[in-house]
Structures are given as structure tokens and as C-alpha cells.
Amino acid sequence: MNFCNKFITYLIFWGRRPAITRVRGGLFVSLMLVSSGLFATNGYFSHGYSVSQKALGGAGTALPEDGLIVTINPAGMVWAGDTMELSLSMFTPIRDYTATERGDGASNGIMSITPGSRRSQNEYFPVPAISYSRMLGNWGSWGISMYGNGGMNTEYIGNSALFGEGLTGFEAECAGSFGGGAVVSGSDNLGFCGNSGRATGVDMAILFLAPSFSMKLGDRSSIGVAPLLAMNRFAAQGLGAFDKFSNAPGKVSNQGHDLAYGAGYRIGVLTGLIPGINLGASYQSRVWMSEFDDYRGLFGESGDFDIPESWNVGIALRISDNQRLVVDFQRINYSSIASVGNPFDPNAFVNNCAIPRLFGSTEPSPDCLGSATGPGFGWRDMKVYKAGYQYTFGGYKFRLGYSRTDQPIPANAALFNVLAPGVVEQHFTAGMSLRWSENMYIETAFMYAPDRPVQGKNPLSNTDANLAGLAAEGVGLGDLTAILGEDSTSAFGEDENDQDLILNMKQFELTISVGWRY
């Protein structure tokens, strides 16, 4: 048995431990490497997975350069041959937010972030990937790949949040960007402060294990399928102030890391029926995950956080014997996942959840955190356009790429997305491949994603509703609010005196890969 076979056998079976323990243990170790804090680029999907994809702007659906083609089109595996790739990326996202003062005409407030800027900690993350494939004669191929789909990680240290601003006797300033820490000033008579520390953020990473099979259809076409086994690791901190506004209090924040497991599939087709032109297409199903039980009070549908479906199409043009031009289109359906796609309706949240809870109600509400229709991140579906150019010279391949999209966060969803500022829209990429020997090659890729700030209002920072009106709503006398105070039914929407929140992120990534063809 040669070195590659020995290595992949050890990777899959990992010594002499029982099968389930070996697989789960290997997955967990790999996930730990990924999830020290990965934050991917197209929302929480990576812009590319193999080194060639990363260098070509994420394109490559119709250009099978290596075994990791399975990540975007499993039909390409049969054209990659007998291969093995090991890659490691050093990913550097730089994230920050700025909270402004409220407007001069601001009145009472429910919650606002203390004005100022904060930059997230944790900016250097190793991201591994591996693939192995073997031919079945000349007609088919099987393989297995392990890679990180992406995730999100933020950790803001310090700052504070203001609750009940202008409501005499109920004002409180709490440590942490979302008030998850101890009381800084005020009496906190309503128990807003989370009392769990000054750090605020989330940590999520997704790992895929993808066995695959592909077969030729004639001399120029192929199909492929890859069952997807996924593991998701998540933790949140500093959100304790929202605990009472959940249908599962105690399962919102600071529960440590929780794991979810799931499965889905990816299918693909590839054809070169037109001379000089390859066409490819692939579809990834929704990946159905188990619930995050420890965070069922934070995410919609009681902790459900499925991975959204996506699909991509691509074309590879053979300009000459040593030149290739690739163009891809990808769509990611974030809006289909309640935890990610549900919008934040401040009027429904405050009137139907926050106010009743502050006045002692414990009844579940469809507008509280954790419900199927409760607040989410409000992400929109993404359309991503990718293009890359490859030039071969002797044993070298030189690559350039670019991708463009509209980031998924609307301006009216800025508040919750302080935790997950996935606002990147462009990627500039470059890379090189060197054939080191007859069977071994070394590749590199570099990615730069410039910042694209998103500015939106914090709708909870200013309201015309006064204490009498809020109290009337809280004790079930909403019909009398016109007499006791301002009607709070629509008092919490955006207005010009709201606090502005500015979300920002830019990214760098360097990837190195070693591969074998045998």
C-alpha cells in the first residue's frame, strides 16, 4: 500500500478505535481546527474550497482541476483521476461596528448600544481541507472529501448597552455591546442586564464529510453525486439581556459550544459536447440539521439551524491549448432558513413579547426569540457572479479571479447583524500551481475582499411611547393607551432620530496545498 493509501486509511479509520468513535473523533478534531473562528465570505459560504477555485474567484463548476471539485460539482471527479490534496488556508477577517448618538429629537428608548466603535477579536484562523479520489477503471470514480463550509465568529470586548432610556426609574446601563454583563449604572429594576460578562459575539463553524461517486456518460459528459454529512459547532455569549424575551429562557446565551449533526446531498452534471467549451451545473440540497438544544431560545424553530440549499452553473472556455476562462453563477437561498432569513419586526417584538415579559408574562409568543416566526438575522438570498483566468506555462499554472455579489444584510437588519456582519461583496484573487515532480504539485492562492460598510437604524433606540403607554400594554390594557399615553402599536419602527449602526468587514486569505496524482 503506497503512502497516499495509508494516509487516507488512517484518516478514515484512525487507529483501532470503534468505528463510530473514530469517525466522530476525526470530525471533531477537524472542526476544532476550523472553528476557532471561521467567518466565510459569501454570507457564511466560502468563496471557494480547493486552491484552484480560490485562485479563480471561486469559479470552476465546469473545470475539474482536482478532487475538491466535489465541493461545487461532483460530476467533475471522474475527470480529476487518482488524486489526493491537502490544503491549509490562513483566513483573516477584520470586523468592526460603530454606534452613533441618537438624533437630537430622540425621546424614550428601549435599547441602544453605547456610542462608539468596537473591533472584533480573533482575526487569524487556520482552515484545512482534504480530498482523495480513485478511478474505477476508465468509466467512474469514487472519493471522499472533508472541508469547512464556513461559519461566523465575532467577539467584541467592552462597551455597554442602555435600556429604558428616558423612562424614569427603569433606566439601566449594562456591560457588553448587547448588555449581557453586569450593571454599569442605573437601578436595573426590570432586570435587563445579563450579568454574564463583557464579551459579546457568536462562534459557528460547519464541517462537511462528502463521500462521492461520479461516472462518465460517453466520452465527454459525466454525472456525479455526493451525500453530505455535516457537523455544526455553535456558541453565543453576551446576549443574556435578551433571555427573558425568549420562549426558552436560559437557552439564549453563554451555554458553551453545542453541536448539531445533519445530512443532505449534492448532485452535478458536466459536459464537453461543444468543442472548446465545458458546461457544468450542480445543486446542493438543504442540509437538515439536528437542533442546537442549548440555544433553542435563540434560534427560530427551537434551535433549528439548517444549511440552506444552493445551486451553481458554470462554463469553461478553452481559449488556446494553455489558456482557460471560467465563469460561474451561484445562488444561495438564505431566506428559506428561519433562523437566518426571518426579519426583525421591532413593533411585534416589543409589543407582543418584550412588554408582556417585562410585566411578568411567561406565555410563549410567536414574536419572541426561539419561535418559528420570531426574530432572525433577516438575510436575503444571494446571487454570486464569479470569473477566473488560467494560463499554463510548462509545469506552472497562473490564475487570476474576481467575484461580485450583493451582500445579504439589508439596512433595516443592522442591529442583530452586529453579531454577524457578513457584508463583503467583492473578492480579488490570484494564485499559482507548480508541478514539483511527475506525481506531486504545490499550489497557492491569495484572496482579498475589500470592505463595504452597511449602515442602518437601531429601531429600539427611540420611541414616542411613554411609560404610561408601555405600562398599559404590559398589564393588558392596550385599548386604553390613547388615554394613558401614546399608542405603542407602531411606536417602535425606524425614524430619523434612531441610532445609526455601521457594520464593516474586510478579509484576507492565503492558501497552500500539496497534491498527488498517481
Side-chain angles (χ1 to χ4, degrees):
M1 183 181 291
N2 61 27
F3 169 77
C4 296
N5 286 341
K6 289 180 180 179
F7 185 91
I8 198 66
T9 300
Y10 181 78
L11 175 75
I12 297 173
F13 296 106
W14 199 349
R16 298 182 177 181
R17 286 179 283 178
I20 294 177
T21 302
R22 291 192 302 258
V23 173
R24 292 182 64 178
L27 284 171
F28 185 77
V29 170
S30 299
L31 188 64
M32 289 294 292
L33 286 174
V34 175
S35 74
S36 299
L38 177 62
F39 194 113
T41 50
N42 290 321
Y44 56 84
F45 277 48
S46 180
H47 81 286
Y49 299 94
S50 73
V51 179
S52 62
Q53 295 165 27
K54 290 176 180 289
L56 293 169
T61 302
L63 185 67
E65 287 285 289
D66 48 58
L68 281 169
I69 182 68
V70 69
T71 59
I72 57 175
N73 188 359
M77 287 281 293
V78 73
W79 306 106
D82 295 329
T83 67
M84 180 176 181
E85 289 84 29
L86 299 169
S87 72
L88 182 66
S89 299
M90 183 56 68
F91 183 61
T92 303
I94 299 172
R95 301 137 297 167
D96 61 80
Y97 76 83
T98 298
T100 69
E101 298 279 356
R102 302 190 306 161
D104 292 337
S107 182
N108 302 316
I110 300 299
M111 178 267 183
S112 63
I113 299 174
T114 302
S117 299
R118 281 292 183 276
R119 178 166 166 170
S120 176
Q121 307 291 305
N122 309 326
E123 295 179 347
Y124 300 97
F125 309 121
V127 184
I130 182 171
S131 72
Y132 175 82
S133 63
R134 294 289 286 182
M135 293 295 294
L136 299 170
N138 192 42
W139 62 272
S141 173
W142 70 270
I144 187 167
S145 299
M146 187 182 297
Y147 57 97
N149 187 61
M152 53 182 117
N153 172 282
T154 49
E155 185 179 17
Y156 301 106
I157 304 296
N159 210 358
S160 60
L162 304 174
F163 293 91
E165 195 168 1
L167 301 176
T168 304
F170 296 97
E171 291 184 337
E173 181 181 0
C174 310
S177 297
F178 277 62
V183 179
V184 176
S185 65
S187 57
D188 194 23
N189 289 324
L190 291 177
F192 284 111
C193 299
N195 297 305
S196 58
R198 299 169 60 244
T200 305
V202 295
D203 180 14
M204 186 185 79
I206 303 167
L207 182 72
F208 279 123
L209 182 67
S212 59
F213 170 77
S214 62
M215 62 179 294
K216 294 180 181 179
L217 300 176
D219 295 331
R220 297 183 180 179
S221 301
S222 61
I223 59 173
V225 60
L228 301 176
L229 306 175
M231 184 164 67
N232 196 345
R233 182 174 182 259
F234 178 82
Q237 58 179 335
L239 306 180
F242 288 83
D243 194 69
K244 61 174 60 67
F245 310 129
S246 166
N247 283 343
K251 297 295 183 179
V252 173
S253 183
N254 296 84
Q255 299 298 301
H257 282 92
D258 195 9
L259 296 177
Y261 302 90
Y265 64 89
R266 178 181 282 277
I267 56 175
V269 296
L270 182 62
T271 182
L273 291 178
I274 303 174
I277 300 177
N278 283 354
L279 302 174
S282 180
Y283 168 77
Q284 179 175 302
S285 73
R286 181 176 183 139
V287 179
W288 293 271
M289 305 294 294
S290 60
E291 287 78 15
F292 286 116
D293 186 65
D294 290 342
Y295 291 96
R296 64 180 182 271
L298 175 62
F299 291 132
E301 299 178 314
S302 299
D304 186 71
F305 206 108
D306 290 347
I307 300 168
E309 67 174 355
S310 64
W311 57 268
N312 49 288
V313 295
I315 183 171
L317 304 177
R318 182 179 178 181
I319 301 174
S320 66
D321 287 344
N322 59 351
Q323 296 183 84
R324 299 291 186 272
L325 178 66
V326 290
V327 178
D328 276 22
F329 171 80
Q330 179 186 29
R331 181 180 175 93
I332 308 169
N333 295 328
Y334 286 120
S335 66
S336 64
I337 308 300
S339 296
V340 180
N342 280 2
F344 174 49
D345 183 339
N347 287 303
F349 176 72
V350 175
N351 284 298
N352 302 332
C353 177
I355 294 176
R357 293 300 177 85
L358 289 173
F359 284 85
S361 174
T362 58
E363 292 295 318
S365 168
D367 296 303
C368 281
L369 292 169
S371 72
T373 54
F377 288 99
W379 282 20
R380 301 168 295 200
D381 297 339
M382 291 189 72
K383 299 176 181 178
V384 190
Y385 303 88
K386 310 176 181 184
Y389 170 77
Q390 177 175 283
Y391 178 76
T392 303
F393 179 76
Y396 294 89
K397 291 181 180 180
F398 301 95
R399 299 171 175 131
L400 293 172
Y402 173 77
S403 74
R404 179 73 171 83
T405 186
D406 291 325
Q407 56 82 25
I409 300 173
N412 62 7
L415 178 58
F416 280 179
N417 281 286
V418 167
L419 300 170
V423 295
V424 165
E425 291 192 337
Q426 298 182 87
H427 299 89
F428 298 90
T429 64
M432 181 182 74
S433 174
L434 166 64
R435 185 170 180 175
W436 187 262
S437 66
E438 182 178 354
N439 297 321
M440 180 180 175
Y441 53 96
I442 299 173
E443 298 182 289
T444 63
F446 176 77
M447 179 274 289
Y448 168 63
D451 54 2
R452 196 286 195 191
V454 169
Q455 182 169 340
K457 299 291 187 181
N458 173 5
L460 300 182
S461 62
N462 176 52
T463 175
D464 292 330
N466 60 25
L467 184 58
L470 295 175
E473 288 285 345
V475 297
L477 298 176
D479 292 340
L480 301 180
T481 53
I483 300 173
L484 297 175
E486 296 292 336
D487 184 359
S488 66
T489 304
S490 58
F492 305 100
E494 293 183 3
D495 63 60
E496 61 182 7
N497 290 304
D498 284 339
Q499 176 183 56
D500 282 313
L501 298 172
I502 303 167
L503 314 180
N504 199 18
M505 175 167 60
K506 60 182 176 181
Q507 301 172 345
F508 303 88
E509 184 181 62
L510 177 64
T511 304
I512 299 176
S513 173
V514 178
W516 294 267
R517 296 186 185 276
Y518 44 90

